[in-house]
Structures are given as C-alpha cells and as structure tokens.
C-alpha cells in the first residue's frame, strides 16, 4: 500500500471512530444504509465478488434474487461497521440488550470445566459485538488474533479498539501466536478465532457449499494439542436492532487417525456448522473476497 493511500485509509477509519459514534443513532443508521446502497449501485469488484460467493450459497437464485441478496449483504456489512464504530461508547447494558445468544450452556459449561474453550466463527454478523458480549455479560476475557494491516497505524487502531472492548489481541505471526493461544487454553482460558478463510499453504481443504475451499487448521490443532473444547458459533441479523447468535455443540476430536486426518475431519465439521448458519442468513455473510479454490489462479492466489 502506498504511503499516501495508507494515510488516507487510516484517516478515514480514524474519522469513523471519532465522528460516527457522536452521531444520533438514527442518523448514523441512515448514513451507513445510504453508503451501502451507493456502493452496491456502483457494482464494484467487492459487490460482484459478494454476488459470486452468494451464488454458491444460494445456487437456485436467479440474477434478480442475487442482486437483492447482495444489496442486503452490503447493508448488513455497513451495519457491522456502524455498530463497530459506536461500540466503544455502548454501556454494558446496551451491549447485553443488543444480542440474543442461544445455547450459551455449551460455552458456560465448557468454561466451568476448566480445560479451555475455542470459539470459531465465520464472517457473519458482527463478531466484535459478540466478543463484547462475552467480556461484559459473561465477564470472561479472551484472546484473539488479528491480521497485520497496512499501514501499521491502522493495525494499531484496530488493536486498540478491540483491546478497549476487553480482548487480548495477538498479531497473526504464525507459531508465536499459536504458542500463546495454546498457553491461554491450557490455563483454562477462552480463545476466539474467525475461521472461514485461509488461503495460505497451511489451510485445510474442505467441502463448502459443494466446492473446495481452504479454512485454517489452527482451531482444530489447538483443540488437539491442549484438550480445549472447540465450539462453532454463528451470528445473524433479523431485521431488528438485536443480533442473533448460536453456540453450536462441540466439534469432537476423532478417536482414531493421524493428526492430519483428525485436523481435516474437525475443520470439515466447522465448515459444515458455518455453512448451516450462512445458508440460513446468506445476506449476513460478509465475504467480499475470493474463497473457493476454483476462483483462484493456478498458483492458489486471488485473481
């Protein structure tokens, strides 16, 4: 990223966190809905990629239905940003009132067992709001990983924002991050990871909506290595100010097989849980990048 572009991007995000949270909420909601509609109407690369991804999720959708879904998807995505810019000003009561979590017993019982818990979730709904609920309502701190962004000042903004919500944020730096996550889990802690896209060489191939995609091996490997419980979580909006969430039953470590085979089976189980949530609420899946291997060039890179 060029220095000028990096400064501009960082400045825009800074403006978002500084100004949007001061707007009256109805005005902020209207503003971001308008932004979503304008971006959608321009039919840029991100919108077209979103539609292409949604075509795999809803294979029987005609062009009009796909356009409708992508418009709703951009509105959902902009709602995520509007809420995220405003989250630092929300009271604990407001956070609790803004999310309805189903089947929380999977998480609370797992934490009570003392062996650590890994939450794995896709880019659905507002994962930052879900994290804020964990730290405020359950009063459980947790550790997560963030991809390094350019410029560094933008990455620092995201880290400060998430740490302000009660999260411990580690840079995505391979083995160093994995080792820290493993230590947190062995101490009975909670780790939360967004886990529906990994184009690296270490990604695990899974069947996802009838085609092959790669997802990160980390959640399954951490569960095997530490004995922590691995819980898929899905999120969605339902047309109200309250976001829905569901904690799914644990993904078990297979009793037989090599570590690679166990990792593959567990990651496929995560993919299946994610697919169920995404199929129910496709417009809330904020996947504006290439995901399936069929959409990559022969070198395995986005085109």
């Amino acid at each position: 990223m060029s220095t000028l572009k990096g400064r501009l991007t960082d400045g825009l995000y800074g403006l978002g966190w500084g100004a949007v949270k001061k707007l009256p909420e109805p005005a902020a909601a209207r503003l971001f809905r308008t932004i979503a509609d304008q971006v959608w109407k321009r039919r840029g690369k991100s919108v077209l990629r979103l539609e292409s991804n949604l075509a795999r999720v809803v294979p029987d959708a005609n062009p009009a239905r796909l356009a409708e879904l992508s418009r709703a998807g951009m509105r959902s995505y902009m709602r995520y940003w509007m809420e995220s810019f405003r989250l630092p000003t929300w009271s604990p009561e407001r956070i609790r009132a803004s999310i309805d979590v189903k089947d929380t017993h999977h998480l609370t019982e797992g934490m009570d067992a003392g062996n650590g818990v890994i939450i794995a979730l896709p880019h659905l709904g507002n994962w930052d709001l879900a994290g804020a609920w964990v730290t405020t309502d359950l009063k459980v701190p947790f550790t997560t990983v963030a991809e390094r962004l350019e410029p560094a000042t933008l990455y620092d903004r995201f880290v400060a924002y998430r740490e302000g919500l009660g999260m411990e944020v580690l840079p995505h730096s391979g083995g160093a991050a994995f080792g820290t996550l493993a230590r947190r889990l062995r101490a009975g802690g909670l780790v939360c990871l967004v886990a529906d896209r990994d184009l690296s060489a270490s990604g695990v191939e899974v069947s996802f909506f009838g085609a092959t995609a790669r997802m990160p091996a980390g959640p399954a490997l951490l569960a095997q290595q530490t004995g922590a419980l691995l819980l898929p979580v899905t999120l969605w909006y339902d047309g109200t100010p309250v976001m829905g969430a569901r904690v799914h039953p644990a993904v078990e470590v297979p009793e037989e097989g090599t570590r690679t085979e166990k990792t593959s089976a567990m990651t496929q189980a995560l993919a299946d849980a994610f697919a169920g949530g995404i199929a129910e609420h496709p417009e809330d899946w904020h996947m504006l990048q290439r995901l399936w291997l069929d959409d990559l060039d022969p070198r395995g890179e986005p085109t």
Side-chain angles (χ1 to χ4, degrees), residues 69-236:
L69 280 173
S70 69
R71 184 178 188 181
M74 291 309 299
R75 288 181 173 182
S76 174
Y77 185 49
M78 286 298 112
R79 175 174 169 176
Y80 160 79
W81 281 112
M82 186 271 290
E83 290 178 344
S84 294
F85 286 141
R86 298 173 67 85
L87 258 177
T89 68
W90 286 9
S91 67
E93 292 74 23
R94 172 65 190 279
I95 291 171
R96 294 187 193 103
S98 297
I99 182 169
D100 177 23
V101 185
K102 303 182 186 304
D103 298 327
T104 57
H105 65 278
H106 294 304
L107 174 56
T108 55
E109 290 171 3
M111 293 302 301
D112 290 344
N115 296 324
V117 173
I118 306 156
I119 287 178
L121 63 165
H123 288 81
L124 268 174
N126 189 336
W127 45 96
D128 287 329
L129 173 57
W133 172 81
V134 169
T135 59
T136 57
D137 191 59
L138 298 185
K139 295 182 170 55
V140 175
F142 67 87
T143 304
T144 189
V145 174
E147 181 179 356
R148 283 199 177 276
L149 303 173
E150 295 293 339
T153 51
L154 179 58
Y155 172 77
D156 291 340
R157 284 187 190 275
F158 273 94
V159 170
Y161 156 65
R162 289 185 169 128
E163 287 180 342
L165 298 176
M167 312 175 192
E168 179 188 23
V169 182
L170 305 176
H172 190 282
S173 53
F178 186 92
T180 302
L181 295 174
R183 287 193 294 274
R184 299 291 183 269
L185 291 168
R186 290 193 183 100
L190 176 65
V191 164
C192 297
L193 300 170
V194 179
D196 58 345
R197 183 175 187 263
D198 185 350
L199 301 183
S200 72
S202 62
V204 177
E205 292 191 3
V206 296
S207 176
F208 196 55
F209 291 104
T212 302
R214 288 198 196 105
M215 295 187 181
L221 288 173
L222 284 167
Q224 292 175 64
Q225 187 166 314
T226 67
L229 202 64
L230 176 55
L231 298 175
V233 169
T234 53
L235 311 169
W236 66 89

Side-chain angles (χ1 to χ4, degrees), residues 199 214 290-298 300-303:
L199 301 183
R214 288 198 196 105
R290 297 177 188 271
L291 175 68
W292 283 273
L293 301 194
D294 291 348
D295 295 330
L296 307 179
D297 72 13
E301 297 173 355
T303 57

